[in-house]
Amino acid sequence: MLLGRADQLAALAARRRRAWIAANRAKALASHRDEQGALIALDQAAQFLAEADEPIGGLDFFTEPRLDGIAGETRALLGQHGPAADLIGGALARRDRADVKGLALLTLDLAECRLGAGDLAAACTLAHDALDLADGSVVQPIVLRARAFQRSLGPWRGERPVQALMERVRESGAQLVRV
């Protein structure tokens, strides 16, 4: 509801900002299992981004790889793990390598897709990769996302890859960089 209101208030805002709002609205709708609303919001986000002519920067930072990442998260929330993984993989390939936080979070999202598709080993490997990316610059959003992923592994907590990841997540929490 708040994102819908933000979209109304941003009617005259930069197109990139409107795209970001619409993309986040899509993710919120998907979390409530509103597939049609979520897909419409993703289409709106893509349209706004296609129309954007302002320079990238400041509050208008939203780009196609960022949209692909949110679209992948949205598809994953809808249980569409294959398409979600494709979108997130594309976003990972095109994100700025210096965006360690974004890359780590996307990698954790991809791990969630692999788990949803039934590949526990690949999911755990990707989660380790995400924590490797963030090594030395672990921030709270990464730790929170890693812990959420760890909770999703509950049914397999006795498996060796899950136990190793649980230890790694604990270590990452201890390395948290306070900003």
Side-chain angles (χ1 to χ4, degrees):
M1 186 170 68
L2 291 174
L3 287 166
R5 180 73 177 129
D7 190 43
Q8 291 171 352
L9 293 172
L12 299 176
R15 300 314 250 179
R16 284 188 196 287
R17 197 164 312 153
R18 295 217 46 209
W20 181 77
I21 292 168
N24 280 289
R25 188 165 34 87
K27 192 166 65 168
L29 291 166
S31 72
H32 289 283
R33 297 287 183 222
D34 180 352
E35 182 175 352
Q36 182 179 3
L39 296 178
I40 289 170
L42 282 177
D43 287 343
Q44 290 171 337
Q47 185 61 41
F48 286 137
L49 203 52
E51 296 169 357
D53 59 0
E54 65 276 355
I56 299 169
L59 293 176
D60 299 317
F61 61 87
F62 202 62
T63 60
E64 286 82 5
R66 289 178 185 270
L67 175 57
D68 284 350
I70 291 177
E73 288 179 84
T74 300
R75 295 283 184 166
L77 287 167
L78 294 171
Q80 302 170 1
H81 301 293
D86 291 344
L87 286 162
I88 293 168
L92 278 166
R94 296 185 354 248
R95 277 299 270 274
D96 183 347
R97 304 300 357 143
D99 182 8
V100 173
K101 175 186 156 195
L103 292 169
L105 291 170
L106 282 170
T107 303
L108 286 165
D109 290 337
L110 187 56
E112 195 74 55
C113 290
R114 295 295 184 240
L115 183 62
D119 192 343
L120 179 65
C124 288
T125 298
L126 283 164
H128 277 284
D129 291 348
L131 294 173
D132 287 345
L133 281 167
D135 194 40
S137 60
V138 177
V139 293
Q140 188 172 17
I142 295 170
V143 172
L144 292 174
R145 184 68 183 91
R147 287 177 180 160
F149 178 70
Q150 178 182 316
R151 284 189 299 278
S152 68
L153 296 171
W156 302 277
R157 76 174 50 100
E159 300 290 327
R160 181 172 287 141
V162 174
Q163 291 175 347
L165 182 61
M166 290 170 66
E167 178 59 30
R168 182 73 188 280
V169 171
R170 271 192 296 279
E171 290 170 5
S172 293
Q175 297 171 0
L176 188 63
V177 174
R178 307 275 184 212
V179 274

